[in-house]
Amino acid sequence: MLFSGVLSIILELVAYRRLRNRGSNKLAPLISAIGMSIVLAEFMRILTDSRYVGSPRVMEKKSLATVFGGDVRLDNTIIIIAGLILFVILQMFVQRTRLGKAIRAVSMNEEASKLMGVNLNGVVSGTFLIGGLMTGAAGFFYTLKYENTAFSIGFELGIAAFTAAILDGIGNIKGAFYGGISLGLLETYASFFLGTQWKAVTVFLVLVVVLYFRPNGVFGEAITQTRA
């Protein structure tokens, strides 16, 4: 988590802050983000020779109970509980801390927040740090469950995270949480009934449908009205 958080801050300084200071349009940071993601992925591909890399087993994946014929494993239980704890901590941080309030202010109106004395660069760097910490935790949970990783894993997980975020409206932490659960269940059922090869297709299909019919997300209307 610490490594991922520091890396996120470095990426913000290199790929985003210079563009923001030069007053670039909204599309430039997006292009820069895509470029940096390709650089990082290809760097890891070269280091790993395009192979999957295994990780040591942290714990025995023993069954705790059986519910409706399915095993409740220790690793899955820890991942779910830890994810819920991180979600609650993040929600409380954004709602109650000074930096969290500044983050919400900048997301609503960047120019007005600067006029009120908010340090824009500090807030953006803090946001990237928090995002990096959460990403590092997600990476640990992934390797805890699957015990391997590859240079291309981040693309599929990133698309799924982005789809979950827009499913209930960008900027809505609770919405992203519920969207992630909904998308995960949809992926699971799609893999069961249609095959695992349809898992990624399901994510892209949901992304296209939501962007076409509800570009602000399922609950995006309420968020837009609140900001207005």
Side-chain angles (χ1 to χ4, degrees), residues 17 99 102 106 113-114 116-125:
R17 182 169 297 187
L99 178 57
V106 171
S113 62
K114 287 193 294 184
M116 297 301 294
V118 176
N119 185 349
L120 179 61
N121 289 332
V123 170
V124 174
S125 295

PDB file of all heavy atoms in Angstrom, residues 17 99 102 106 113-114 116-125:
ATOM      1  N   ARG A  17       0.388  17.184 -12.849  1.00  0.00           N
ATOM      2  CA  ARG A  17       0.541  18.541 -12.310  1.00  0.00           C
ATOM      3  C   ARG A  17       1.046  19.521 -13.359  1.00  0.00           C
ATOM      4  O   ARG A  17       0.572  20.665 -13.426  1.00  0.00           O
ATOM      5  CB  ARG A  17       1.476  18.538 -11.103  1.00  0.00           C
ATOM      6  CG  ARG A  17       1.637  19.918 -10.476  1.00  0.00           C
ATOM      7  CD  ARG A  17       2.337  19.860  -9.147  1.00  0.00           C
ATOM      8  NE  ARG A  17       1.567  19.105  -8.166  1.00  0.00           N
ATOM      9  CZ  ARG A  17       1.900  19.028  -6.883  1.00  0.00           C
ATOM     10  NH1 ARG A  17       2.986  19.641  -6.445  1.00  0.00           N
ATOM     11  NH2 ARG A  17       1.154  18.328  -6.046  1.00  0.00           N
ATOM     12  N   LEU A  99      -9.038  17.391   5.095  1.00  0.00           N
ATOM     13  CA  LEU A  99      -8.642  17.061   3.730  1.00  0.00           C
ATOM     14  C   LEU A  99      -9.813  16.484   2.942  1.00  0.00           C
ATOM     15  O   LEU A  99      -9.971  16.774   1.749  1.00  0.00           O
ATOM     16  CB  LEU A  99      -7.471  16.074   3.743  1.00  0.00           C
ATOM     17  CG  LEU A  99      -6.964  15.600   2.378  1.00  0.00           C
ATOM     18  CD1 LEU A  99      -6.541  16.782   1.518  1.00  0.00           C
ATOM     19  CD2 LEU A  99      -5.812  14.606   2.546  1.00  0.00           C
ATOM     20  N   ALA A 102     -11.913  19.249   1.786  1.00  0.00           N
ATOM     21  CA  ALA A 102     -11.245  19.947   0.685  1.00  0.00           C
ATOM     22  C   ALA A 102     -11.360  19.168  -0.618  1.00  0.00           C
ATOM     23  O   ALA A 102     -11.544  19.751  -1.691  1.00  0.00           O
ATOM     24  CB  ALA A 102      -9.773  20.170   1.042  1.00  0.00           C
ATOM     25  N   VAL A 106     -13.068  20.673  -4.009  1.00  0.00           N
ATOM     26  CA  VAL A 106     -12.387  20.743  -5.298  1.00  0.00           C
ATOM     27  C   VAL A 106     -13.170  19.987  -6.371  1.00  0.00           C
ATOM     28  O   VAL A 106     -13.264  20.417  -7.519  1.00  0.00           O
ATOM     29  CB  VAL A 106     -10.953  20.187  -5.177  1.00  0.00           C
ATOM     30  CG1 VAL A 106     -10.302  20.055  -6.555  1.00  0.00           C
ATOM     31  CG2 VAL A 106     -10.111  21.098  -4.289  1.00  0.00           C
ATOM     32  N   SER A 113     -13.018  26.715  -4.945  1.00  0.00           N
ATOM     33  CA  SER A 113     -12.239  26.188  -3.827  1.00  0.00           C
ATOM     34  C   SER A 113     -10.889  26.900  -3.729  1.00  0.00           C
ATOM     35  O   SER A 113     -10.403  27.175  -2.617  1.00  0.00           O
ATOM     36  CB  SER A 113     -12.043  24.682  -3.986  1.00  0.00           C
ATOM     37  OG  SER A 113     -11.307  24.382  -5.164  1.00  0.00           O
ATOM     38  N   LYS A 114     -10.278  27.230  -4.872  1.00  0.00           N
ATOM     39  CA  LYS A 114      -9.010  27.966  -4.833  1.00  0.00           C
ATOM     40  C   LYS A 114      -9.220  29.372  -4.274  1.00  0.00           C
ATOM     41  O   LYS A 114      -8.376  29.885  -3.530  1.00  0.00           O
ATOM     42  CB  LYS A 114      -8.401  28.031  -6.233  1.00  0.00           C
ATOM     43  CG  LYS A 114      -7.832  26.718  -6.713  1.00  0.00           C
ATOM     44  CD  LYS A 114      -6.969  26.873  -7.951  1.00  0.00           C
ATOM     45  CE  LYS A 114      -7.783  27.312  -9.154  1.00  0.00           C
ATOM     46  NZ  LYS A 114      -6.939  27.368 -10.369  1.00  0.00           N
ATOM     47  N   MET A 116     -11.297  30.156  -2.047  1.00  0.00           N
ATOM     48  CA  MET A 116     -11.521  30.010  -0.609  1.00  0.00           C
ATOM     49  C   MET A 116     -10.268  29.581   0.140  1.00  0.00           C
ATOM     50  O   MET A 116     -10.307  29.304   1.337  1.00  0.00           O
ATOM     51  CB  MET A 116     -12.637  28.988  -0.354  1.00  0.00           C
ATOM     52  CG  MET A 116     -13.995  29.408  -0.909  1.00  0.00           C
ATOM     53  SD  MET A 116     -14.580  30.962  -0.212  1.00  0.00           S
ATOM     54  CE  MET A 116     -14.827  30.492   1.492  1.00  0.00           C
ATOM     55  N   GLY A 117      -9.132  29.516  -0.554  1.00  0.00           N
ATOM     56  CA  GLY A 117      -7.863  29.218   0.103  1.00  0.00           C
ATOM     57  C   GLY A 117      -7.458  27.762   0.114  1.00  0.00           C
ATOM     58  O   GLY A 117      -6.523  27.395   0.829  1.00  0.00           O
ATOM     59  N   VAL A 118      -8.126  26.936  -0.650  1.00  0.00           N
ATOM     60  CA  VAL A 118      -7.775  25.514  -0.698  1.00  0.00           C
ATOM     61  C   VAL A 118      -6.522  25.329  -1.545  1.00  0.00           C
ATOM     62  O   VAL A 118      -6.431  25.863  -2.659  1.00  0.00           O
ATOM     63  CB  VAL A 118      -8.941  24.682  -1.273  1.00  0.00           C
ATOM     64  CG1 VAL A 118      -8.525  23.223  -1.421  1.00  0.00           C
ATOM     65  CG2 VAL A 118     -10.161  24.789  -0.377  1.00  0.00           C
ATOM     66  N   ASN A 119      -5.552  24.592  -1.029  1.00  0.00           N
ATOM     67  CA  ASN A 119      -4.323  24.282  -1.763  1.00  0.00           C
ATOM     68  C   ASN A 119      -4.622  23.180  -2.770  1.00  0.00           C
ATOM     69  O   ASN A 119      -4.691  21.995  -2.414  1.00  0.00           O
ATOM     70  CB  ASN A 119      -3.223  23.839  -0.798  1.00  0.00           C
ATOM     71  CG  ASN A 119      -1.886  23.616  -1.495  1.00  0.00           C
ATOM     72  OD1 ASN A 119      -1.802  23.584  -2.714  1.00  0.00           O
ATOM     73  ND2 ASN A 119      -0.840  23.471  -0.710  1.00  0.00           N
ATOM     74  N   LEU A 120      -4.807  23.563  -4.029  1.00  0.00           N
ATOM     75  CA  LEU A 120      -5.248  22.608  -5.042  1.00  0.00           C
ATOM     76  C   LEU A 120      -4.231  21.489  -5.237  1.00  0.00           C
ATOM     77  O   LEU A 120      -4.599  20.311  -5.262  1.00  0.00           O
ATOM     78  CB  LEU A 120      -5.497  23.336  -6.360  1.00  0.00           C
ATOM     79  CG  LEU A 120      -5.949  22.458  -7.538  1.00  0.00           C
ATOM     80  CD1 LEU A 120      -7.262  21.768  -7.220  1.00  0.00           C
ATOM     81  CD2 LEU A 120      -6.060  23.288  -8.806  1.00  0.00           C
ATOM     82  N   ASN A 121      -2.956  21.831  -5.366  1.00  0.00           N
ATOM     83  CA  ASN A 121      -1.934  20.802  -5.586  1.00  0.00           C
ATOM     84  C   ASN A 121      -1.853  19.837  -4.410  1.00  0.00           C
ATOM     85  O   ASN A 121      -1.700  18.623  -4.595  1.00  0.00           O
ATOM     86  CB  ASN A 121      -0.571  21.469  -5.812  1.00  0.00           C
ATOM     87  CG  ASN A 121      -0.482  22.164  -7.151  1.00  0.00           C
ATOM     88  OD1 ASN A 121      -1.148  21.783  -8.106  1.00  0.00           O
ATOM     89  ND2 ASN A 121       0.338  23.205  -7.227  1.00  0.00           N
ATOM     90  N   GLY A 122      -1.951  20.369  -3.192  1.00  0.00           N
ATOM     91  CA  GLY A 122      -1.916  19.499  -2.024  1.00  0.00           C
ATOM     92  C   GLY A 122      -3.102  18.558  -1.961  1.00  0.00           C
ATOM     93  O   GLY A 122      -2.963  17.377  -1.612  1.00  0.00           O
ATOM     94  N   VAL A 123      -4.282  19.066  -2.314  1.00  0.00           N
ATOM     95  CA  VAL A 123      -5.485  18.239  -2.299  1.00  0.00           C
ATOM     96  C   VAL A 123      -5.398  17.143  -3.358  1.00  0.00           C
ATOM     97  O   VAL A 123      -5.724  15.974  -3.089  1.00  0.00           O
ATOM     98  CB  VAL A 123      -6.733  19.110  -2.525  1.00  0.00           C
ATOM     99  CG1 VAL A 123      -7.961  18.236  -2.760  1.00  0.00           C
ATOM    100  CG2 VAL A 123      -6.966  20.014  -1.329  1.00  0.00           C
ATOM    101  N   VAL A 124      -4.940  17.496  -4.553  1.00  0.00           N
ATOM    102  CA  VAL A 124      -4.830  16.502  -5.627  1.00  0.00           C
ATOM    103  C   VAL A 124      -3.803  15.431  -5.262  1.00  0.00           C
ATOM    104  O   VAL A 124      -4.037  14.234  -5.451  1.00  0.00           O
ATOM    105  CB  VAL A 124      -4.457  17.187  -6.955  1.00  0.00           C
ATOM    106  CG1 VAL A 124      -4.198  16.144  -8.042  1.00  0.00           C
ATOM    107  CG2 VAL A 124      -5.570  18.128  -7.399  1.00  0.00           C
ATOM    108  N   SER A 125      -2.655  15.854  -4.701  1.00  0.00           N
ATOM    109  CA  SER A 125      -1.648  14.873  -4.289  1.00  0.00           C
ATOM    110  C   SER A 125      -2.186  13.972  -3.180  1.00  0.00           C
ATOM    111  O   SER A 125      -1.941  12.760  -3.176  1.00  0.00           O
ATOM    112  CB  SER A 125      -0.386  15.590  -3.804  1.00  0.00           C
ATOM    113  OG  SER A 125       0.231  16.296  -4.863  1.00  0.00           O
TER     114      SER A 125
END
